[in-house]
């Protein structure tokens, strides 16, 4: 085969993947960055270069800060707890116990359920007066609470629901990692007189670190990617108390049609996610043992 | 120094009897090999002694103390696993000292023991490496090191050499034997390789289907196999065992009350007209270098003779086979057991 022919073959093989990646990933990313430096095109008013005006507008926007702070607390509230729970559940269902298949299935169910169905279930739980939580509280003579309607409780409600949904999903990764661990290690440790906690601390947990990093990165991305539940449950309200960054981007882009501002917010969101992922890799990479 | 006494030990899973009433004694400071084909229960037996599994019956005593119900750590044992069971995220030194740290041995003592083990095993330059950066033989040494620093009086090994290549296996055999003598450990060693058993053991416990077939020193096992199974399991090529007819001659058809066993090296090829020689027809010739294996058929039986050098015999030739009275082993075909030593 001549060199030119080989080159053509090469490009033809590469082509489909390259076209898809460029059209749906690279081009939109560049376009977003481009739009963030231009004004939104309106009727009779084409898009023009505005420099950092959009970014200035963002910094002056109290809703942006509210969403950022909400998102921060949302991440802090969901990530450690759901990962910790996932690890605990995985350790538990990895033991030899009766009906563990059903237990694993039960833990994984929240992940399988459609997002809107999940939101509906929790909407019922949180309903004032006759919702599940208020009925239980009623048994103890406590008064009804509008869980999703109070700025003080709404973010907490979202956090609890997210933990419920994510922990089972992360558990699967931990369970897979635990099952690929040779049982000989535990036996060797048992002969040395190593207790369960010491074994976990010295052997199991360090060997699970690659999984933890993977789950952590996913959890962080998930925390900033949350939009569907919020739209179904609260639409960011009341008074922006449950407004998260992606919900805000959705609102700005598709309700107010302010494409330039939405692009600006997207760039910031991407920057945040990229930075966090980079920090995670740099900090944790050195302490992780890959098999 | 601790002896190990196993009495009527059994491990059943439902109707499956992995181990069925096994009793034997290993003297303090001696090297015992549990030998048998796969599925004979030898690994189960070792795991029961280690305490990694619990027996359904019987007892285990180590140094006079009944340890049947004790956890592994309280039995005074160390164990080397077939897959080495090294902690992949810990360095060689950390792996070796893991047990000592867990048992809160102080740092100075830990260092002393580590240095001694590293010196014994030639691991000095590898202490900072991770197991994944070591060859199979080096990983094996680390596993040995972990067993040595524990300074347990009894050491259990579960097919420790089966993942190594032939050359390395040979070296490690000698090395493990040497270590065991030097540290005067009581060793219980599981293998399916009869060569390991013959070369290393003071005592061989041959197992089959969860029962002891024979418990003897290697030379006794070789010279006086108690059963047809033992006779055929030990030796390369294995002992010839042929059925006998009612008059005590090699039978023309299979099935007969008795069986005759002769080791290939005890058979000599003689001219066919030699008085008293068994007349047979050569089926195949296998030249091995130092000697030749001549397989010949007599009636329903097939006899292999080990002839020194390169034998000048063609396949299909009629030859005579002879052996001395002492080389004969007579077995009962129904029980599979040895009848009696041949009359001198």
């Amino acid at each position: 085969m001549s060199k030119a022919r080989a080159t053509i073959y090469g490009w033809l093989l590469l082509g489909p993947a390259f076209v898809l990646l460029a059209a749906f990933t690279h081009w939109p990313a560049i376009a977003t960055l481009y739009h963030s430096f231009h004004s939104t095109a309106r009727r009779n008013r084409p898009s023009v270069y505005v420099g950092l005006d959009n970014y200035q507008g963002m910094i002056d926007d109290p809703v942006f800060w509210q969403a950022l702070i909400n998102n921060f607390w949302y991440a802090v509230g969901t990530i450690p707890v759901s990962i910790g729970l996932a690890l605990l559940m995985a350790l538990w269902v990895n033991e030899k116990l009766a009906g563990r298949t059903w237990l694993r299935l039960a833990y994984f169910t929240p992940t399988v359920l459609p997002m809107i169905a999940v939101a509906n279930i929790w909407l019922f739980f949180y309903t004032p007066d006759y919702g599940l939580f208020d009925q239980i509280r009623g048994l103890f003579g406590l008064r009804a609470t509008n869980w999703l309607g109070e700025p003080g409780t709404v973010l907490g409600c979202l956090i609890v629901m997210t933990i419920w949904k994510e922990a089972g999903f992360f558990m699967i990764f931990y369970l897979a990692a635990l099952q690929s661990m040779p049982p000989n290690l535990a036996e060797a440790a048992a002969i040395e007189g190593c207790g369960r906690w010491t074994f976990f601390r010295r052997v199991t947990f360090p060997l699970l670190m690659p999984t933890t990093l993977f789950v952590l990165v996913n959890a962080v991305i998930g925390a900033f990617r949350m939009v569907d539940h919020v739209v179904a449950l609260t639409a960011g309200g009341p008074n922006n108390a449950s407004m998260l960054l992606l919900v805000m981007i959705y609102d700005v882009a598709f309700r107010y049609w302010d494409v330039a501002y939405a692009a600006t917010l997207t760039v910031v969101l991407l920057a945040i996610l990229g930075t966090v992922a980079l920090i995670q890799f740099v900090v944790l990479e050195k302490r992780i043992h890959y098999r | 120094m601790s002896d190990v006494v196993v009495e009527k030990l059994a491990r059943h899973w439902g109707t499956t009897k992995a181990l069925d009433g096994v009793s034997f004694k290993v003297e303090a400071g001696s090297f015992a090999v549990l030998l048998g084909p796969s599925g004979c229960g030898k690994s189960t037996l070792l795991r029961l002694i280690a305490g990694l599994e619990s027996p359904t019956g019987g007892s285990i005593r180590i140094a006079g103390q009944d340890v049947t119900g004790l956890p592994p750590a309280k039995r005074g044992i160390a164990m080397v696993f077939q897959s080495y069971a090294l902690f992949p995220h810990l360095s060689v030194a950390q792996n070796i000292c893991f047990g000592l740290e867990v048992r809160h041995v102080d740092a100075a003592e830990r260092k002393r023991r580590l240095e001694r083990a590293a010196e014994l095993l030639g691991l000095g330059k590898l202490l900072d490496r991770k197991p994944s950066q070591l060859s199979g033989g080096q990983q094996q040494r680390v596993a040995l090191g972990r067993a040595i620093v524990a300074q347990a009086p009894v050491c259990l090994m579960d097919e420790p050499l089966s993942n190594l290549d032939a050359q390395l296996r040979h070296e490690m055999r000698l090395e493990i034997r040497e270590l065991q003598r030097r540290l005067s450990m009581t060793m219980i060693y599981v293998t399916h390789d009869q060569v390991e058993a013959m070369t290393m053991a003071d005592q061989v416990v041959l197992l089959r289907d969860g029962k002891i077939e024979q418990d003897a020193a290697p030379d006794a096992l070789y010279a006086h196999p108690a059963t047809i199974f033992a006779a055929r399991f030990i030796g390369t090529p294995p002992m010839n065992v042929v059925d006998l007819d009612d008059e005590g001659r090699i039978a023309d058809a299979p099935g007969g009350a008795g069986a005759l066993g002769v080791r290939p090296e005890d058979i000599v090829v003689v001219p066919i007209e030699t008085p008293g020689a068994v007349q047979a027809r050569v089926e195949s010739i296998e030249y091995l270098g130092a000697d030749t294996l001549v397989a010949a058929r007599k009636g329903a039986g097939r006899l292999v003779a080990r002839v020194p050098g390169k034998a000048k015999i063609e396949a299909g030739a009629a030859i005579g086979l002879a052996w001395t009275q002492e080389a004969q082993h007579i077995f009962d075909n129904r029980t599979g057991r040895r009848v009696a030593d041949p009359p001198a």
Side-chain angles (χ1 to χ4, degrees), chain B residues 277-293:
Chain B
V278 170
Q279 298 178 359
R281 188 162 295 279
V282 176
E283 277 193 332
S284 65
I285 309 278
E286 222 179 321
Y287 173 59
L288 299 176
D291 39 30
T292 308
L293 300 180

Side-chain angles (χ1 to χ4, degrees), chain B residues 201-233:
Chain B
D202 296 316
Q203 171 191 5
V204 177
V205 179
L206 182 63
L207 288 152
R208 179 200 189 188
D209 297 337
K211 291 199 177 80
I212 292 185
E213 196 77 6
Q214 190 168 3
D215 174 6
D219 52 344
L221 190 65
Y222 192 79
H224 302 283
T227 63
I228 294 177
F229 175 80
R232 292 196 59 84
F233 199 80

Side-chain angles (χ1 to χ4, degrees), chain B residues 72-306:
Chain B
K74 296 256 167 73
R75 295 184 176 208
I77 51 154
M79 185 161 173
V80 176
F81 291 85
Q82 182 175 1
S83 57
Y84 315 140
L86 300 179
F87 302 116
H89 60 299
L90 300 180
S91 70
V92 168
Q94 286 170 321
N95 259 293
I96 292 176
C97 289
F98 182 83
L100 302 181
E101 268 175 58
V102 170
R103 288 179 199 267
H104 303 297
V105 173
D106 70 73
E109 173 69 9
R110 278 209 305 262
K111 189 158 173 288
R112 202 182 61 74
R113 291 200 203 174
L114 172 65
E115 276 167 6
R116 177 146 176 268
E119 193 200 312
L120 275 173
L121 297 163
L123 287 170
K125 289 185 182 129
L126 307 172
L127 290 178
D128 296 326
R129 298 243 192 119
K130 292 280 169 64
S132 57
Q133 297 166 312
L134 301 178
S135 70
Q138 289 165 336
Q139 290 185 23
Q140 171 67 67
R141 279 163 204 275
V142 178
L144 281 175
R146 203 162 58 179
I148 289 171
V149 295
Q151 298 189 347
V154 178
C155 184
L156 310 176
M157 294 198 176
D158 187 4
E159 310 214 17
L161 304 184
S162 58
N163 292 342
L164 303 181
D165 61 55
Q167 175 63 29
L168 208 50
R169 204 146 53 197
H170 178 70
E171 286 167 20
M172 290 304 290
R173 274 209 309 261
L174 301 175
E175 205 164 315
I176 289 175
R177 180 64 173 147
E178 163 70 18
L179 267 176
Q180 181 266 335
R181 288 225 179 97
R182 184 119 65 109
L183 305 172
S184 61
M185 292 186 282
T186 307
M187 178 78 81
I188 302 181
Y189 184 107
V190 161
T191 183
H192 62 267
D193 182 351
Q194 47 137 337
V195 178
E196 283 177 25
M198 296 303 277
T199 53
M200 298 168 90
D202 296 316
Q203 171 191 5
V204 177
V205 179
L206 182 63
L207 288 152
R208 179 200 189 188
D209 297 337
K211 291 199 177 80
I212 292 185
E213 196 77 6
Q214 190 168 3
D215 174 6
D219 52 344
L221 190 65
Y222 192 79
H224 302 283
T227 63
I228 294 177
F229 175 80
R232 292 196 59 84
F233 199 80
I234 307 287
T236 333
M239 184 186 279
N240 298 296
V241 180
V242 291
D243 291 343
L244 294 175
D245 62 17
D246 296 340
E247 277 104 63
R249 287 187 306 245
I250 294 173
D252 288 329
L260 165 77
V262 191
R263 294 227 175 258
E265 58 269 33
D266 291 333
I267 301 181
V268 281
V269 175
V270 293
I272 191 157
E273 61 274 12
T274 309
V278 170
Q279 298 178 359
R281 188 162 295 279
V282 176
E283 277 193 332
S284 65
I285 309 278
E286 222 179 321
Y287 173 59
L288 299 176
D291 39 30
T292 308
L293 300 180
V294 179
R297 179 157 295 280
K298 164 68 184 169
R302 189 168 181 271
L303 291 160
V304 176
R306 184 193 282 268

Side-chain angles (χ1 to χ4, degrees), chain A residues 184-195 198-199 202-204 206-207 289 291, chain B residues 47 52 72-73 77-79 81 83 85-90 98-99 101-103 146:
Chain A
N184 270 343
L185 296 184
E187 290 173 353
I191 283 172
E192 306 281 12
C194 183
T198 313
F199 182 70
R202 294 289 311 276
V203 181
T204 313
L207 289 180
H289 170 82
R291 260 178 286 182
Chain B
R47 292 171 62 82
L52 296 172
I77 51 154
M79 185 161 173
F81 291 85
S83 57
L86 300 179
F87 302 116
H89 60 299
L90 300 180
F98 182 83
E101 268 175 58
V102 170
R103 288 179 199 267
R146 203 162 58 179

Side-chain angles (χ1 to χ4, degrees), chain B residues 4-15:
Chain B
V4 178
V5 181
V6 170
E7 240 164 65
K8 298 197 183 96
L9 201 63
R11 181 70 175 96
H12 298 177
W13 277 283
T15 53

